[in-house]
Each structure stands twice: as structure tokens, then as C-alpha cells.
Amino acid sequence: MEIEGSAGPGVSHTPQAAKLRVVLGTLLVRANQVVSVESLVTELWRDEPPRTATATLHVYVSQLRKLLHTVDPARGRELLHTQPPGYRLALAPDLLDLTAFEELYRRGREALADGRYRSAADLQRRAIALWRGPLLSDTPHGPLLEGAAAQLAEAGGAALDQRIRADLQLGRHHELIAELRSLAAEHPLREELHGHLMLALYRAGRQAEALQAFAALRKVLVAELAIEPGPPLQHLHRRILSGDPGLLRTAAETEAGETESAETGSAEAARESTDGTAPPGIPAGTALPAADPVFTGRGTALAQVEELLRNAPAGSFVAVAGQPGVGKTAFALEVAHRSGPFFPDGRLFLDLQPEPGHPLPATKAISTLLRRRGVRLAHGAGAGELHDAWQEQLTDRQLLLVLDNADSEAQLRPLLPTTAGSSAIVTTRRLPAGLGGIRPVLLDTLDREEARLLFTAAAGPERAAAEPAAVRELLELCGGLPLAVRVAAAQLTARPHWSVASLVDRLRDERFRLGELRIGELDTRAPLLRAYQDARPELRRAFRLLGLLPAGPFERAAAGAVLGLSPAGTTRLLDGLVDDRLLVAADRAGYQLPELLRVLAVERLAEEENPQDIGDAIERLCAQHARAAEQVAAVLTHARPSGDEPHEPAGWFTRERHALVRAVRQAHGAGRWAAAVRLVAALDGHLETHAAWDAWAETHALALDAARRCGDRGAEARTLRSLGDLAWQQRRLEEAEEHYGLARRIAEETGRRTELSRALVGLADLRMDAGDGAAADALLTAALAAGPGPADPRARFDVLRALGLHALSAGDHVRAHTRFTACLDLARTLHDRRLESFARRALRTARFGPGHRLEVRPGVWRLHGRRPLPEPAF
């Protein structure tokens, strides 16, 4: 890491202090991006920052500003900006070797894809020349620099690989042999380097040495890893064994170096396969990229597409759609490789968007396809001439096109076959439904078993078998997305000292998961983010707001609440997100954000949405949940079940419990106190009915704090009384007494007679538990005097229930019967079947005695250890 200033080249101002170099290096590798204070602290001290970490970081930043001023007195200090939540180093792209390398590498990759091999070799050679060694090798690495170093190392290796491929296409195999021998010795497990060496030796007339190179690699792999070389290298080995003359062909460029000879396979094949040429016996220009060696699963979809291709009517094609990262390209190539016998005239692959965000124009795509078929048109041929020439290539032939990353119907229409025999597989996120002959196939994320098989294939069976529980959690955190599973496997392969459990620990925190799922050129966030950015503005905002909903399926009503739209408007946006593969339609008219897209939505929400709008959406969601809870409670109250106990409609609370608790947390976190209070009040009865003690405790603790913050004394008393009920049920009697006592005091101070009555009943229950009948009687008398009359039959029911139990414990069955009869009448008035069932059981108890168990509240039973009570005199 060197900084050269106004004194001229060679005068270095690199900081001597290691931690200062860490801060500078971190800002440089994220040049023109904001690096948070939290990230810099982690980079400096990992998991053990000192108490003064933030202050010390400020000192380092100040020192860096002084250093930048020394380098450039005119504007050096202005380069380092304080920008929440951290700092940003603003640099022109041409000031960094890293930026220059990335640009040269990108241009070289494009040149190789277009078959401009001289340009590709030159650009990648210039990119490699910028390397001086491992990134920041003189600087301690934290997680961010470690990731950047690994990514850059991968890119450096890829640049070298692509330069060698280009040189091989240019017939420079003699010059490459010595370099490739050295590289193969330096990287004994890099199969592609050994493949290049084998091909160079074979083309130089040294077939035996090429076979020896394969044998040496195989010996190392078997001895160290107990695996065989991969399918591409085994295929090359077989071709060398058979003396295949097709391996001797190289690319012949035109004078401008812009076109590819008819004998050369596709540029993609040169990138993806080991030797870069078409296998013998396949027509010129029809080689596919190598099939994915770890492709697994998708059996039903593969069979479906193969059947569609075998019986494809004229003008039809298969469109493979799915969310980003779901493996559409790998799937299409797998089908294409399996379908060779049905397309004897060849198979062609073309990436219609080789650079993200820059789709190929149809004319450029046709020109490329024609060139790969060996057809040369006059320079400046018009669109009509290109179209006619391309359709002539398809007519009376059985040719399969694999058109990857299709962008639009306008781009696709001129490329698709219109006559019988030829067909196409198109991969896309948005189905081109306006084109005739479309046969759609939707790829979903992998199920658990398919994801496990993919991980096993990519990471190795030893990894998968060693920590099965951690692997299961890892695959869940990856959401079954093939790209994420591959990235996780690649990380574990690149870092043998990592355990699966350690990677799981890094992925659990949603805030960092997408950033962690990245290694080298494999980046899980990038395609997900591109898909989000490609959507219309109103869809992007809807996607962000849906991040407020919990993982799993959700109904349209919940979506409508966070979006603040009518049912029709909500449906329109949800359908738009489904079309863009940012959302999936789940069972029973519901929807679901795939796991990693949900994580992206949460990330984008925090980055892009106004806090006021987020709070409003949370408030609407809480109101929707509260209405649903009240409606379900009303159904339960008026239900007439076949048995004694009413049953919740379609298991509503069980299904929604996690979402309800989460909404309370969100409302409290957003400072929407009234919304939190209202929702918890609506959940009160459900929590008690289901004995959901943990959820009861958490939601009511938050509601109590919210009620106090917004000054709602009535809600404070009600919540305290409910917390007293919870503590009483859990036999935490001192805590129950404290809650009931506070509720009683607040109710007395504010004149809330109902809550006063219910708090007194709770205290009376505690006295009865303790066998203090006199105290219980006094409390219940006071509860009656508080006045829960016709205006509040539910509170009066509680008083009469407690009086009945008190009479029963005193052996006064007649009075108990009278009290429970009054309870039954009130339950009928309330149309509450649960209370009515309790009253009927209580009447039977008053008539026949409690036996060994006594129901003290609806659904709450206590062991009755006393001697049998006297036979009631009825």
C-alpha cells in the first residue's frame, strides 16, 4: 500500500502504524463507499474492541486527514468525508491500481466473450501486471479486508486463467508450456491450470507428457482428497487418449481481431470448458459451456422440459423463469447437454446480457450467433438482412438455442426459431408472455433434500456428514437458493479451518448475512439487488415495506396494511412483484418473500425508507392484527362447537403467533406506543386461552412500557392485572401480588372501576390459595362494591366465579351453586361459549364435589388435596 504525493513518484507516504494502515486500507478497498464506524472498529479489533474504540478511531481518522493533506495540500483533507454511519474516501477511479485492474479485467472478459482473443490476452496481461503481491500483505486483516483480499485473489486467478485461454486460442501453446508447468506446481489442486498444461502439451505434439500431467494430478487428488478429477478434465483426458484432432484447432482471428472462425466453439465454451473447443462429431460453432459438475435435483422439471423439447411444435420455445440465483442457467445447460440426440445440427449458447444492466441488442445477438455458425455478412448489414440470414440457418435444421438472461420480448422475438425442428430454451426472470409458442417452466428454490445434495456435491461428503445439524441450519439460512448454497460451500472449501457451525454463526444475523454470502466472483447479494433495482419504483417500495412482515407466508390483508392500499391496489402490486420474481404466490391465496429476498427487503427498508413511513406502516399492521384478533375472539365467543370447548377458526392464533409478537416488538421499537397497547389488549384473551406464557410475558412487558410512555393509565392498570394473571398461573405468587397491587392502586387513583374489580379478584384468588378465607372474603366484597354491573358483565363474571369458588372451599355448596348459576346467565348474555362451558362444569362441581382436581379459572386446573367436602344438600 503506497501513497505518492506531490513530491513525485517513488516518494511514499504510507503510514508506519499498523492500525492506521488498517483504517486506510479498509477505506481504499471500499473507495467512494461509506464504511460504517462499526465495520472499522471490527476491522481494527475483531470481537474485542477496547472501551475507547470509537474515540481511538476518531484519532486515526484525524491522522489520516493530516497524511492526505501532506500528500495533496490543495485538497487532501477533503478526500476523507464524515458521512453517517461512518466515513467515505472519495477518490477518482484512475488513482487506484485496484480500480484499474478491475476495469482491465472486465474489458478482457468481454473481449474473450466476443472472440477477440488478441485483445483479451493483452488486456488481461496488463491487468496482471498491476499485481505486486497479495492485497495489503503488510497490514493486519479484519473480516472486511480478509474478504476483499480473498475476492481480489480470486479475480487475479481468473484474469490469469482467461489470459491463458486467450493465448491458447491464438496458438501460443509452445510459449505457455514452461509457465503452465510452474503454475501447476504452485497450485497443485487447480484443475483448470492442469487442463491448460495438458492441452498445450498435446498441441505441441507431446501427447505422452499431456497424459502424464493428468496422471500426476489424479495421484495428488486421490491421495490428498480421495476424489477423482472433475468431469471437464476427464473429458479432455479421453480426447487426448484417442488422439482427437479437434483439440489441435485454434481460433483464427480476422485482421481486426473481432471475429471467430467457424471451426471455433462459442466464446462461452472457451470460458467454461477445459479446452475451449467443440467435442469431436458436433457441428462447427455449436459447443455449449460445460455442464455444471455439481448440478443436482430438479428431476421433475428436467423431465418436463425434455418432453417439451422432444415434442416442440413449430415456433415454440421453453422459457425457464425464477428468482435470481435459483440456477436457471445451470438448469438450461443441463437440459441442453441431455438433449443432444434430438438436435443433431447443434446447440448454441448465448448470454443476452453479458454485462449486468446492458442487454445485447437483437442485431448484435444475431450477428454473434451467425458468426458462431460460420456465416459472414457484409459489414453494415441491416436488421432485415440479419434476420433473414439467421432464420435461414434455422430452417430445415434441428438446432437448439440456449438464450440466457433474456431481457425483453423485443430482444427475443428476432432470435427465436419460427419453423419446425429447431427450438430454444430461454432463461429469464420475467416470462415473455406476449410471445407465441411459449412453454413456461418456473424454478423454485431447492427443497431440503435437494439443497443437502447440492451442498454435499459442492463442499464434499466429509463436510456434509461431519456436522449434519449445522448443515441443516446453514441450508435454512441460505433459503434453499442454489447460488447461496454454492457460495457457502465455496467459503468452506477455501477456508478449511472454518467449521460449518462457525459459518452458521456468521450468517444468523440478518444484517450481515448477504454480505457474508460472498467469495471471489460469487456474490449472492449482487443478482438479488439487480433484480430489485430493475423493478419499477412503486414495486421497489412495496418490496421494501413487505420486509416488515415475518418470514413465511402472509395474506393479502397483512400486505395491504403495510402498503396502506386497498385490496385491489395491493393485489396489483403483489402480482407485479410475482411477475418480477421478487415474490412467490404461496398456497391458499397467500404470498411469501423467499428467505434471502426477505433479508434484502429488510436491508433496503433500513437504507432507503423514511422512518416516519416505516412507523406508519407498522402502525397500520398492528391495527390490522388487532382487528383480526378481535374478529377471531368474536367468532370464538359466539361459536357453537360440537363439544364443550370452542375451537379457534383455522388455528388462527397458532399460525399468526410469531407475526403478532413481532408486530408488538416493531411497534414498541418504532415508538408507536398506542399501536402496541391496542394490539396487546386485543391479544389478551388469546394468550391466556393458549397458555402462551412466553409470548404473554414479552408482549405485556412491552405494552406496559408503552402505556407508561404514552401516559395511558387505564392501559397500564389493565396490563399489570394481566401480568398478575400470568404470574398467578405460573405460581410466581409474590410477583402476582405485586402486579395486582399496582393495578389496584392505579385503578383506584384513576377511577377505573372494572380494572379495580378485576385486580381485587386476582388478590382474592391469592388469598384463597393461601387458605386465608377472611381476607379473600373482604377483597371479593370490595370487588362487588367496585360496581362491575350490567355495563361490564365480563368483570362481574370474574367476581361471581371467585365468590363461587370461595363458597365451595367453605363447604357452602348452595351458595356456590347460586354464584355459578349467575355465572352461567352472564355467559349466555355475553354469548361466550368458553365461559358458558366453564360455568356448566362449575355447577357440576358444586353439585358433586371437586374430586382430585378443581377448575379455578376457565381452562386452569389445580390439584385438590383436601379431604372430600360434605355431600351437598340439594
Side-chain angles (χ1 to χ4, degrees), residues 530-755:
R530 282 198 299 272
Y532 164 76
Q533 292 169 338
D534 285 347
R536 302 193 308 272
E538 66 270 23
L539 293 180
R540 291 201 298 272
R541 183 168 190 270
F543 176 78
R544 294 193 297 269
L545 288 173
L546 291 177
L548 289 170
L549 301 177
F554 58 85
E555 295 180 352
R556 187 180 64 181
V562 295
L563 299 179
L565 295 174
S566 66
T570 299
T571 299
R572 180 178 61 81
L573 288 185
L574 294 178
D575 287 346
L577 289 170
V578 170
D579 291 342
D580 280 358
R581 310 301 159 207
L582 294 172
L583 184 69
V584 297
D587 294 337
R588 291 169 37 170
Y591 299 87
Q592 184 169 352
L593 281 170
E595 176 61 13
L596 293 184
L597 280 170
R598 184 190 64 79
V599 172
L600 179 70
V602 173
E603 176 187 282
R604 293 298 90 207
L605 183 75
E607 290 286 334
E608 301 179 36
E609 202 65 34
N610 183 296
Q612 177 68 35
D613 292 341
I614 294 175
D616 291 346
I618 289 171
E619 196 162 324
R620 292 192 299 268
L621 180 62
C622 286
Q624 165 62 28
H625 283 320
R627 286 192 297 270
E630 290 159 359
Q631 290 167 0
V632 170
V635 171
L636 288 173
T637 297
H638 295 86
R640 292 187 177 272
S642 55
D644 279 339
E645 289 293 340
H647 297 285
E648 183 178 60
W652 176 83
F653 181 81
T654 302
R655 187 176 65 251
E656 298 293 330
R657 174 174 169 173
H658 173 63
L660 296 166
V661 175
R662 189 172 188 266
V664 175
R665 287 194 208 111
Q666 289 172 315
H668 186 273
R672 300 302 174 111
W673 315 122
V677 165
R678 181 196 168 186
L679 178 53
V680 172
L683 296 179
D684 216 356
H686 297 285
L687 293 163
E688 182 176 4
T689 301
H690 287 80
W693 288 353
D694 291 342
W696 190 347
E698 181 182 359
T699 57
H700 281 64
L702 293 173
L704 180 60
D705 182 67
R708 287 169 172 167
R709 287 174 182 266
C710 66
D712 188 340
R713 303 298 304 284
E716 185 180 358
R718 181 179 65 247
T719 308
L720 282 166
R721 188 264 310 156
S722 183
L723 285 169
D725 290 343
L726 172 62
W728 178 80
Q729 287 200 26
Q730 294 181 302
R731 311 311 289 158
R732 291 181 282 110
L733 303 183
E734 289 184 6
E735 185 179 333
E737 184 150 13
E738 180 182 356
H739 288 318
Y740 286 140
L742 284 172
R744 174 186 184 177
R745 191 188 72 194
I746 294 170
E748 287 173 338
E749 291 173 356
T750 57
R752 285 173 168 80
R753 299 167 67 91
T754 294
E755 284 306 326

Side-chain angles (χ1 to χ4, degrees), residues 751-758 760 779-789 799:
R752 285 173 168 80
R753 299 167 67 91
T754 294
E755 284 306 326
L756 175 57
S757 172
R758 299 191 73 175
L760 290 168
L779 288 165
L780 291 173
T781 300
L784 274 178
V799 177

Side-chain angles (χ1 to χ4, degrees), residues 495-515:
R495 301 180 178 101
H497 58 288
W498 280 16
S499 66
V500 180
S502 69
L503 179 55
V504 166
D505 286 340
R506 301 169 80 98
L507 298 181
R508 283 197 183 106
D509 192 329
E510 290 183 359
R511 296 172 299 171
F512 308 115
R513 190 181 306 171
L514 291 176

